[in-house]
Amino acid sequence: MEFKFDVSDIFPSGIVELNQSLVPPGFAGDRRGLTNVVTKVANVIDQMGDASATAQGLTRPITTADRLRKSDQNIYLLVDSTAKNGKGVVTGMLKTGKKSLYIFDRDGQHYHVSPPCVLDFYIHESKQRQGLGKQLFEHMLQKEQVVPSKLAIDRPSDKLLSFMSKHYGLQNAMRQMNNYVVFDGFFPEPANPDVITESSSPGHTKEKANGLQSFTNYGRYGAPRPPCSMGQIIHNQSPMQSNEPSGPQIASQ
Ligand code: ACO
């Protein structure tokens, strides 16, 4: 992506890491220079956020400079400062951050975790499928010292799911009710849990990963339910004809 100003004036070539300060690494200058550079960085972030939203068919951008300023998230920009006769272009953006999430495994066990999350990821249309996304992602993994299976991904597109499958062998995504996705390997080994688990004791409600709530066969939820007399009146049934299910059942559908 091109900008009105020279990208090469504010960013070195390669991968540039930004945080809430919006100050590019290696910046040296006075207060006026700082204001100038931060304004340009904000412009780059806003335009990349807009382009990413358009590419994903979103009505509003996930990434803006304003939001970054108020967060503890990280943005990695892929910069080619030699392109456009040395004016430079920004080719890609990857935003990460930790989020407090409830995540369900395949058994419906839920976990309260704060994993590193992939929040926004975009490579310019003219440069996709050339390995640049992998380059940016690998840099992030190395920088954040995380393996792909331990990441949660916010509303991944089909392209990103394909990307995770191709480069990291991650398939069969577990979609969560909060729109995040995790993969097998996200959860701790049973012998060595390193996150707080909830609802692990018999008799407690377990929320299923697919959004259904089910109950274990213990306690009052396991007891048979009496026929619903109002339902019988509406359907003109005698108590013996009731179709109302009893005992353990799906609570919501
Ligand atoms: N259709 C299907 N799969 C794709 C496509 C596509 N158009 N583009 C990339 N991929 C996947 C494929 O697995 C592809 O491998 P293949 O070419 O052998 O099929 C692989 O990614 C290519 O890997 P890279 O070249 O390293 O990835 P790329 O530079 O294209 O970056 C990215 C991947 C960021 C997903 C890019 O395609 C993109 O910006 N897409 C549009 C925006 C988007 O969907 N972003 C993710 C939103 S979800 C989120 O941000 C949390």
Side-chain angles (χ1 to χ4, degrees):
M1 179 172 288
E2 296 170 51
F3 297 87
K4 285 180 188 157
F5 48 86
D6 290 3
V7 167
S8 52
D9 283 350
I10 53 170
F11 296 136
S13 234
I15 295 173
V16 173
E17 296 167 24
L18 296 167
N19 58 26
Q20 61 182 181
S21 73
L22 305 193
V23 180
F27 169 79
D30 58 13
R31 181 181 279 243
R32 197 160 150 212
L34 181 67
T35 307
N36 182 35
V37 88
V38 165
T39 305
K40 287 175 174 168
V41 170
N43 193 304
V44 168
I45 292 171
D46 286 344
Q47 284 198 51
M48 293 301 284
D50 284 347
S52 179
T54 304
Q56 296 176 56
L58 305 175
T59 48
R60 283 188 304 152
I62 298 163
T63 302
T64 66
D66 212 35
R67 277 196 189 180
L68 182 63
R69 274 199 191 94
K70 295 172 190 154
S71 76
D72 55 1
Q73 296 166 353
N74 304 309
I75 285 187
Y76 302 86
L77 294 178
L78 188 57
V79 178
D80 181 354
S81 51
T82 60
K84 299 286 169 197
N85 297 323
K87 283 169 67 84
V89 294
V90 180
T91 314
M93 175 190 69
L94 174 57
K95 184 170 78 167
T96 61
K98 289 201 169 169
K99 294 273 180 180
S100 172
L101 300 173
Y102 284 93
I103 300 284
F104 297 78
D105 67 15
R106 293 197 193 282
D107 296 328
Q109 183 73 47
H110 76 265
Y111 300 80
H112 187 196
V113 286
S114 298
C117 300
V118 177
L119 302 172
D120 202 2
F121 190 18
Y122 170 69
I123 297 289
H124 190 268
E125 280 71 9
S126 65
K127 298 287 182 184
Q128 288 176 17
R129 288 186 136 159
Q130 298 173 31
L132 296 181
K134 170 117 192 278
Q135 190 186 329
L136 196 52
F137 207 85
E138 286 285 317
H139 180 98
M140 178 276 292
L141 294 175
Q142 200 264 331
K143 191 72 196 178
E144 304 201 6
Q145 288 290 292
V146 63
V147 293
S149 62
K150 296 294 181 189
L151 293 164
I153 306 179
D154 188 13
R155 284 169 238 249
S157 63
D158 289 344
K159 289 182 185 181
L160 184 49
L161 289 174
S162 170
F163 175 94
M164 298 304 288
S165 168
K166 177 187 166 112
H167 294 306
Y168 303 108
L170 295 173
Q171 291 167 340
N172 302 320
M174 281 173 255
R175 288 187 183 275
Q176 307 291 313
M177 285 180 287
N178 53 19
N179 290 318
Y180 279 77
V181 151
V182 298
F183 296 92
D184 289 317
F186 180 85
F187 300 97
E189 293 297 318
N192 184 26
D194 59 358
V195 294
I196 300 162
T197 68
E198 296 179 357
S199 76
S200 54
S201 54
H204 283 198
T205 303
K206 279 188 171 185
E207 291 191 7
K208 286 284 185 188
N210 60 7
L212 296 181
Q213 276 197 335
S214 67
F215 299 100
T216 53
N217 286 340
Y218 297 88
R220 64 194 174 101
Y221 296 112
R225 287 177 57 186
C228 168
S229 52
M230 184 55 75
Q232 290 158 2
I233 293 164
I234 291 168
H235 298 291
N236 197 24
Q237 291 172 336
S238 75
M240 298 309 292
Q241 290 172 309
S242 171
N243 292 326
E244 176 108 359
S246 60
Q249 56 195 279
I250 303 293
S252 66
Q253 296 190 25

